[in-house]
Amino acid sequence: MVEQRLNERLEAVRSVYDLTPRALLSSHRQLRELVALGTDPSPTEFWEVTANPLAQAMVEAASRVIDDEVGIFEDAVTRFRRSLTTLVMTTGEDCRPAAAAVLQECIDQMATCSLDRDPINELGAQWQQRLRRAAGRRLFPKIMLVSTNKSEPLIAVAEMSLLNECPWAHDDRLLSAFELAHADVRQHLRDRLGEMSVVMTHRTGRKLQAAS
């Protein structure tokens, strides 16, 4: 099945290019060392030089896979269309509605393919927990002397403060870059399938109309 092969190839891309816990932690530690040296990049510089290029490498690799698989599917549809033309010419039966339904079903199945978002979502949740613990440590022992209702707002403020500092601000940029990359890959697949749906349905209808 074409959708199974596409999912398998996208997973191969994700396993190579997606952000991992180890990579995020390594980046965090390196940035912390740069802070100690006073040479840490600004969040904007980090996005432009590091975070976005890393994420875009995954987008480009996944997009090549999508373009390849959609091209293979287009070739299969072309062969299918030729077979239908022969059938119409031979039997005189109008197969256009059935053909369009079959094509749309195949396209819908391909549209369900995507990079697995579970790992990046889990990584984001883990990082959020680390941020919260860091905020708690910053407030210790103050939060030990107040109730939970009063400590929660204090921790939230401390988290926001950390998000304005290196390396936490940069971690946030790195995670955001890969979250956006996942969305870009999904959009690229939707765009390619949308183009194919219009072109192939039009060609099938036009060709069968001429044949009948």
Side-chain angles (χ1 to χ4, degrees), residues 67-79:
D67 291 344
D68 184 32
E69 289 298 328
V70 170
I72 293 172
F73 187 51
E74 285 175 332
D75 290 341
V77 171
T78 297
R79 293 192 298 271

Side-chain angles (χ1 to χ4, degrees), residues 121-153:
N121 289 340
E122 292 172 4
L123 180 56
Q126 293 168 2
W127 176 81
Q128 188 64 46
Q129 292 174 355
R130 288 178 53 218
L131 174 65
R132 182 176 178 81
R133 288 195 296 269
R137 287 194 298 270
R138 173 168 287 193
L139 294 173
F140 187 84
K142 182 178 180 179
I143 59 173
M144 301 298 293
L145 305 175
V146 298
S147 66
T148 301
N149 290 339
K150 292 183 178 180
S151 67
E152 287 297 326

Side-chain angles (χ1 to χ4, degrees), residues 7 27 39 44 70-71 82 85 106 109 114 123 139 141 200 203:
N7 269 325
S27 174
T39 58
T44 299
V70 170
R82 289 171 180 167
T85 301
C106 292
Q109 289 175 347
S114 67
L123 180 56
L139 294 173
M200 288 302 177
R203 286 180 178 175

Side-chain angles (χ1 to χ4, degrees), residues 12-153:
V13 168
R14 193 204 63 75
S15 66
V16 172
Y17 291 96
D18 206 2
L19 185 62
T20 64
R22 177 176 295 184
L24 180 59
L25 183 58
S26 175
S27 174
H28 184 91
R29 288 171 174 169
Q30 292 174 7
L31 286 163
R32 192 167 55 191
E33 292 173 358
L34 293 177
V35 170
L37 296 172
T39 58
D40 51 298
S42 69
T44 299
E45 181 183 358
F46 181 76
W47 171 273
E48 294 175 348
V49 175
T50 302
N52 194 50
L54 285 173
Q56 285 305 304
M58 184 174 72
V59 173
E60 292 169 4
S63 295
R64 287 194 296 270
V65 166
I66 289 169
D67 291 344
D68 184 32
E69 289 298 328
V70 170
I72 293 172
F73 187 51
E74 285 175 332
D75 290 341
V77 171
T78 297
R79 293 192 298 271
F80 177 62
R81 177 168 52 84
R82 289 171 180 167
S83 297
L84 288 175
T85 301
T86 301
L87 182 62
V88 169
M89 295 177 66
T90 302
T91 66
E93 296 182 4
D94 187 358
C95 300
R96 286 171 294 175
V102 170
L103 289 179
Q104 192 58 55
E105 181 179 355
C106 292
I107 292 172
D108 290 345
Q109 289 175 347
M110 286 191 71
T112 64
C113 299
S114 67
L115 297 170
D116 185 359
R117 286 191 59 89
D118 287 346
I120 193 67
N121 289 340
E122 292 172 4
L123 180 56
Q126 293 168 2
W127 176 81
Q128 188 64 46
Q129 292 174 355
R130 288 178 53 218
L131 174 65
R132 182 176 178 81
R133 288 195 296 269
R137 287 194 298 270
R138 173 168 287 193
L139 294 173
F140 187 84
K142 182 178 180 179
I143 59 173
M144 301 298 293
L145 305 175
V146 298
S147 66
T148 301
N149 290 339
K150 292 183 178 180
S151 67
E152 287 297 326

